Amino acid sequence: MTTHTTRMLILGSGPAGLSAAIYGARAGMKPILVQGIQPGGQLTTTTDVENYPGFRNVIQGPWLMEEMAAQAEHVGTTLVYDTIVEVDLSQRPFRLVGDGGDVYLGDVLIVATGAQAKWLGLDSEEAMKGKGVSACATCDGFFYRGKKVAVIGGGNTAVEEALYLTNHSDDVTLIHRRDSLRAEKILQDRLFANPKIRVVWNKEVRNFYGAGKPEALTTLELADTKTGQISSLAADGAFVAIGHHPATELFRGHLKLDDDGYIEVEKGSTKTSVAGVFACGDVMDKIYRQAITAAGTGCMAALDAERFLAEADFEKLAEAAE
Ligand code: FAD
Ligand code: NAP
């Protein structure tokens, strides 16, 4: 068991955490950044990124995140492969514990733990995960070359996943519970123009059925959200793309969260309900949820943290914590 001590401790290696690290390191804070189970964050699960400024040609999500990590290290961040499982924000410095028992002590803490895929919550979905049901078309789409696939959802992720799957399949069905999509217009235009994709409106998935040995997905049972009528759709692969949960369970009872579980921050800043703890990226932002906004709030968190370190009376804070 090792104890790691730093002025600036950062949780999360997505665009928010890595941007905070770049700013923190350049201010001489020698940050330690704990990467979690998904080094690079959500963008490592996608391919084409064409809305991150600075690149005239389309870039790849995993490549962008590798570059950000290399930049953070280059300017003086220590990147650690660990996942935090315990936090104590009542003592100063803050004390966090990794899943192997390592202890992390930080004068300030920047939380950039992002978000995780949401599932429909069906028993048959759980049973069929890895047997045809997935939450990542860019990871698993390749396995369904020339087969029938379905995507569930109506946001940017669902539309992008449906478009991506047309690289592998000529038979892609997008299933959405309403009669209009939430996705950006440019993506909708591409979707509707693609002859390999059809959209099934006003339907929700009731069950996933499999057959064979080893068992593999064959059919989705659908219910019409207006009439209740049941129908079925043949599919070899189904991709659930209905959004994400903020990764904040660790902070329940320690930081103020909103009704949806996002970390609450003071308006116009990244300050949380505990002085010296800052939050950035998707973990505190349910409106924009973009790489560029995550990076922007990561920068804000580092600047807020630097200001706090320069101004805070640590003796008083330690006394107040006792
Ligand atoms: P995340 O990227 O979610 O990173 C969270 C980090 O926290 C991870 O590294 C994880 O390992 C770590 N972590 C979690 N828990 C712990 C813990 N307990 N201890 C330590 N670390 C922990 N946005 C765009 O701008 N353009 C796009 O083209 C685009 N495409 C997308 C495609 C897909 C399929 C998806 C799902 C999202 C896409 N987005 C896109 C949105 C974008 O990826 C997110 O807005 C962005 O990644 C959020 O960054 P983040 O740093 O807040 O969190
Ligand atoms: P999202 O925008 O929250 O959309 C989720 C979709 O799933 C909605 O259409 C929703 O339906 C549907 N849904 C939710 N729960 C459902 C359920 N239980 N059953 C059936 N359908 C359900 O999530 P997202 O598409 O993952 O996008 C997340 C964020 O990342 C967004 O801010 C998005 O802009 C961003 N993102 C950006 C890009 C890009 O810029 N290229 C790409 C991907 C993601 P309703 O519409 O009926 O609510």
Side-chain angles (χ1 to χ4, degrees), residues 10-18 34-52 65 82-85 112-116 135-136 138 157 160-161 244 247 250-251 280-283 285 288-295 297:
I10 302 171
L11 301 195
S13 52
L18 289 170
V34 183
Q35 303 205 66
I37 48 168
Q38 191 178 53
Q42 291 171 61
L43 274 191
T44 60
T45 69
T46 192
T47 49
D48 293 358
V49 174
E50 56 183 358
N51 54 12
Y52 198 84
M65 298 319 300
D82 202 350
T83 297
I84 297 301
V85 293
T113 48
Q116 288 161 1
C136 181
T138 48
T157 302
E160 281 198 337
E161 301 226 323
H244 288 78
L250 198 55
F251 296 99
C280 50
D282 282 13
V283 78
D285 167 24
Y288 303 106
R289 293 182 294 183
Q290 298 294 301
I292 183 67
T293 48
T297 53

Side-chain angles (χ1 to χ4, degrees), residues 18-89:
L18 289 170
S19 300
I22 290 164
Y23 275 79
R26 293 194 74 251
M29 298 289 144
K30 297 194 169 77
I32 291 178
L33 184 149
V34 183
Q35 303 205 66
I37 48 168
Q38 191 178 53
Q42 291 171 61
L43 274 191
T44 60
T45 69
T46 192
T47 49
D48 293 358
V49 174
E50 56 183 358
N51 54 12
Y52 198 84
F55 307 95
R56 96 175 51 184
N57 296 316
V58 171
I59 53 167
Q60 299 298 299
W63 174 82
L64 177 64
M65 298 319 300
E66 270 174 33
E67 289 297 308
M68 275 193 212
Q71 186 180 359
E73 270 191 312
H74 179 72
V75 292
T77 306
T78 302
L79 300 180
V80 180
Y81 286 103
D82 202 350
T83 297
I84 297 301
V85 293
E86 216 180 290
V87 301
D88 184 352
L89 307 181

Side-chain angles (χ1 to χ4, degrees), residues 27-279:
M29 298 289 144
K30 297 194 169 77
I32 291 178
L33 184 149
V34 183
Q35 303 205 66
I37 48 168
Q38 191 178 53
Q42 291 171 61
L43 274 191
T44 60
T45 69
T46 192
T47 49
D48 293 358
V49 174
E50 56 183 358
N51 54 12
Y52 198 84
F55 307 95
R56 96 175 51 184
N57 296 316
V58 171
I59 53 167
Q60 299 298 299
W63 174 82
L64 177 64
M65 298 319 300
E66 270 174 33
E67 289 297 308
M68 275 193 212
Q71 186 180 359
E73 270 191 312
H74 179 72
V75 292
T77 306
T78 302
L79 300 180
V80 180
Y81 286 103
D82 202 350
T83 297
I84 297 301
V85 293
E86 216 180 290
V87 301
D88 184 352
L89 307 181
S90 68
Q91 53 175 283
R92 310 246 170 196
F94 301 124
R95 185 178 187 278
L96 289 84
V97 182
D99 67 358
D102 277 14
V103 172
Y104 297 86
L105 302 176
D107 289 333
V108 290
L109 173 66
I110 294 180
V111 183
T113 48
Q116 288 161 1
K118 274 188 192 168
W119 294 92
L120 296 168
L122 302 167
D123 289 344
S124 58
E125 174 188 57
E126 193 55 39
M128 295 307 294
K129 274 184 197 169
K131 300 175 185 170
V133 175
S134 161
C136 181
T138 48
C139 317
D140 300 332
F142 188 72
F143 300 124
Y144 302 96
R145 271 170 300 163
K147 298 192 171 173
K148 290 180 200 299
V149 292
V151 177
I152 299 125
N156 276 350
T157 302
V159 172
E160 281 198 337
E161 301 226 323
L163 289 165
Y164 171 77
L165 285 165
T166 61
N167 293 322
H168 302 301
S169 164
D170 292 342
D171 189 340
V172 179
T173 305
L174 183 79
I175 302 164
H176 184 39
R177 63 183 178 183
R178 293 188 296 120
D179 60 4
S180 64
L181 299 173
R182 185 182 289 274
E184 284 170 61
K185 187 169 180 311
I186 188 170
L187 288 175
Q188 292 198 30
D189 291 347
R190 281 181 208 161
L191 180 94
F192 296 135
N194 193 315
K196 295 179 181 175
I197 304 174
R198 82 183 170 109
V199 183
V200 172
W201 301 106
N202 300 316
K203 297 281 188 291
E204 61 187 14
V205 177
R206 283 283 170 86
N207 269 305
F208 296 96
Y209 293 113
K213 268 191 181 159
E215 191 180 27
L217 183 73
T218 56
T219 313
L220 275 60
E221 180 186 294
L222 307 179
D224 191 291
T225 52
K226 293 210 160 138
T227 64
Q229 198 181 344
I230 300 294
S231 58
S232 65
L233 176 81
D236 305 293
F239 297 89
V240 179
I242 60 168
H244 288 78
H245 279 301
T248 52
E249 268 319 300
L250 198 55
F251 296 99
R252 203 165 280 283
H254 300 277
L255 293 176
K256 206 165 172 199
L257 307 180
D258 73 9
D259 292 345
D260 297 320
Y262 288 81
I263 296 177
E264 279 194 3
V265 292
E266 207 174 274
K267 203 166 184 282
S269 90
T270 59
K271 291 178 190 168
T272 69
S273 54
V274 173
V277 180
F278 304 87

